[in-house]
């Protein structure tokens, strides 16, 4: 089985082709940035398992989630090398911590005849087959427009908006912030921002709630003119906690990305206006199906950028939006084996 890409030709490793021919189980590995990262790790595991169960009707497969417990590039690369040298992977779905961080290892897998798909963070200069994630800037813009619409409908008076992230230098984070600014200012052209998408406030590179409490808490107390804090990731949970614990409800609001029980509670309480569930489960499920497509019929997506739809959550929902009640059911489905 072979295929020609813009970067050149690919031929499936004979050992893998022989396994498929004999009806033996193919090993699909989804390797991620951190298997215990808040929200992300659990949802990606569930998505991979869901995809594996669904696709077993088309091909005998065994699926495995690998990666370090938390972000550790050296450990992740070492594990990927071990998996490859031991012929333990017949198709790979890979999340790199940063865009284009793992060009070398991806190309090594492809050279060895192993199909590779990326998720969450793309590696466009590699020989990956396709990429599955949100369109980050577009999703940020949707968040900004939705947040602004709520502010306008509720008559909230905003002074200054701040932008923050667990990884403010990350292209994905800057794209979300850029989109948020564009979306919000499309409704409020004169909105004032404390900072810009290139200078997002760092809130903790392990993406934990405690890091957000330690960073954003003092920031909001020192800048009492900031009454909307946009967070690019699950740190929005911590911002909502700060608004509650510092008695800032009704004076300060937040919007952001990702979903958890506490984030949905904060939306219901009016502290958080909007969150976007980026569908970590969907991102991990998609490469499983893509692997089976290729291993069974040599099919690859015509367009390598396979953007997934953002799931936009507000308290009351509306056209194209999900209510918190609906989001709670989805969260339960996405995090319960």
């Amino acid at each position: 089985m072979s295929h020609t890409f813009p970067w050149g030709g690919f031929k499936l490793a004979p050992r893998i082709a022989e396994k498929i021919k004999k009806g033996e189980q193919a090993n699909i590995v989804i390797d991620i940035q951190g298997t215990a990262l808040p929200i992300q790790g659990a949802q990606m595991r569930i998505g991979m398992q869901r995809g594996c169960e669904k696709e077993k009707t088309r091909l005998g497969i065994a699926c495995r989630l690998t990666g370090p417990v938390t972000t550790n590039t050296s450990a992740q690369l070492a594990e990927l090398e071990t998996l490859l040298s031991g012929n333990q992977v017949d198709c790979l779905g890979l999340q790199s911590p940063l865009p284009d961080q793992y060009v070398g290892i991806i190309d090594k897998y492809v050279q060895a005849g192993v199909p590779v798909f990326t998720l969450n963070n793309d590696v466009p200069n590699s020989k990956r087959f396709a990429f599955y994630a949100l369109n980050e800037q577009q999703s940020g813009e949707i968040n900004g427009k939705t947040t602004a619409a709520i502010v306008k409908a509720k008559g909230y008076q905003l002074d200054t908006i701040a932008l923050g992230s667990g990884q403010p230098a990350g292209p994905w984070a800057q794209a979300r912030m850029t989109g948020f600014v564009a979306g919000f200012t499309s409704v409020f052209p004169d909105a004032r921002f404390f900072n810009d998408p290139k200078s997002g406030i760092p809130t903790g590179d392990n993406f934990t709630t405690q890091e957000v409490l330690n960073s954003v808490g003092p920031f909001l107390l020192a800048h009492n003119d900031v009454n909307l804090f946009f967070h690019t990731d699950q740190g929005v949970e911590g911002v909502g906690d700060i608004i509650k614990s510092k008695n800032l409800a009704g004076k300060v609001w937040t919007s952001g990305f990702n979903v958890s029980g506490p984030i949905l509670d904060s939306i219901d309480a009016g502290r958080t206006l909007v969150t976007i569930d980026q569908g970590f489960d969907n991102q991990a499920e998609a490469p499983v199906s893509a692997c089976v497509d290729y291993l069974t019929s040599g099919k690859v997506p015509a367009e390598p950028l396979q953007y997934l739809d953002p799931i936009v959550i507000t308290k009351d929902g509306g056209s194209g939006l999900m209510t918190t009640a609906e989001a709670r059911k989805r969260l339960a489905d996405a995090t319960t084996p």
Side-chain angles (χ1 to χ4, degrees):
M1 189 180 298
S2 61
H3 191 86
T4 301
F5 293 88
W7 43 259
F10 171 82
K11 185 179 172 92
L12 187 67
R15 66 170 184 83
I16 301 174
E18 188 64 18
K19 288 176 73 172
I20 303 299
K21 183 179 178 181
K22 290 181 177 180
E24 296 176 0
Q25 223 172 37
N27 296 316
I28 296 176
V29 169
I30 304 298
D31 189 273
I32 66 173
Q33 176 181 352
T35 57
L37 284 178
I39 301 173
Q40 180 185 138
Q43 287 198 355
M44 285 193 170
R45 184 180 299 278
I46 294 301
M48 177 204 69
Q49 292 170 338
R50 187 172 67 215
C52 200
E53 286 304 309
K54 181 181 74 175
E55 296 301 345
K56 281 180 179 177
T57 61
R58 292 202 291 151
L59 180 69
I61 53 175
C63 302
R64 178 180 172 192
L65 189 78
T66 62
V69 175
T70 58
T71 308
N72 185 324
T73 302
S74 297
Q76 189 175 7
L77 286 172
E79 184 176 33
L80 286 165
E81 290 279 5
T82 298
L83 291 169
L84 178 62
S85 63
N87 289 334
Q88 298 179 55
V89 186
D90 299 325
C91 189
L92 176 68
L94 177 63
Q95 176 201 21
S96 67
L98 293 172
D100 261 351
Q101 192 168 18
Y102 288 167
V103 174
I105 190 67
I106 289 174
D107 289 357
K108 193 170 182 178
Y109 266 76
V110 172
Q111 184 65 33
V114 179
V116 179
F117 299 87
T118 54
L119 60 142
N120 193 253
N121 274 323
D122 195 13
V123 190
N125 288 313
S126 72
K127 294 178 179 179
R128 55 93 169 107
F129 285 22
F131 166 61
Y132 296 89
L134 297 182
N135 182 320
E136 305 290 12
Q137 186 162 326
Q138 182 186 66
S139 297
E141 185 170 351
I142 290 169
N143 193 310
K145 286 181 178 178
T146 308
T147 298
I150 293 173
V151 168
K152 187 173 183 178
K154 298 286 188 181
Y156 297 149
Q157 298 301 307
L158 298 186
D159 187 2
T160 306
I161 303 166
L163 310 169
S165 174
Q167 194 180 77
W172 62 270
Q174 293 187 4
R176 290 180 187 179
M177 289 186 277
T178 297
F180 181 85
V181 172
F184 197 90
T185 55
S186 72
V187 179
F188 293 106
D190 298 325
R192 179 168 33 185
F193 287 82
F194 175 83
N195 55 342
D196 63 32
K198 295 291 186 182
S199 57
I201 297 161
T203 65
D205 55 12
N206 286 315
F207 301 95
T208 65
T209 298
Q210 188 59 52
E211 288 173 316
V212 178
L213 299 179
N214 295 342
S215 56
V216 180
F219 171 81
L220 288 176
L221 291 179
H223 300 88
N224 57 17
D225 60 325
V226 172
N227 51 1
L228 177 61
F229 194 103
F230 171 72
H231 202 291
T232 66
D233 45 78
Q234 57 259 38
V236 71
E237 179 178 316
V239 183
D241 287 351
I242 293 163
I243 293 170
K244 179 181 180 181
S245 65
K246 302 299 183 183
N247 296 316
L248 297 173
K251 303 173 186 176
V252 179
W253 297 269
T254 185
S255 285
F257 277 71
N258 295 349
V259 63
S260 67
I263 291 172
L264 297 176
D265 290 343
S266 186
I267 295 176
D268 282 338
R271 298 185 297 271
T272 300
L273 303 180
V274 179
T275 196
I276 287 183
D277 178 354
Q278 60 180 301
F280 286 127
D281 55 324
N282 296 335
Q283 291 181 35
E285 179 181 2
V288 175
S289 296
C291 281
V292 173
D293 281 344
Y294 189 79
L295 294 176
T296 56
S297 62
K299 178 183 175 183
V300 296
E303 168 55 54
L305 298 179
Q306 293 290 299
Y307 290 130
L308 305 175
D309 292 332
I311 302 164
V312 187
I313 303 166
T314 66
K315 182 177 181 178
D316 299 322
S319 179
L321 308 177
M322 182 177 285
T323 66
T324 50
E326 293 167 332
R328 288 182 193 280
K329 182 180 184 308
R330 200 195 104 74
L331 179 62
D333 291 343
T335 56
T336 304

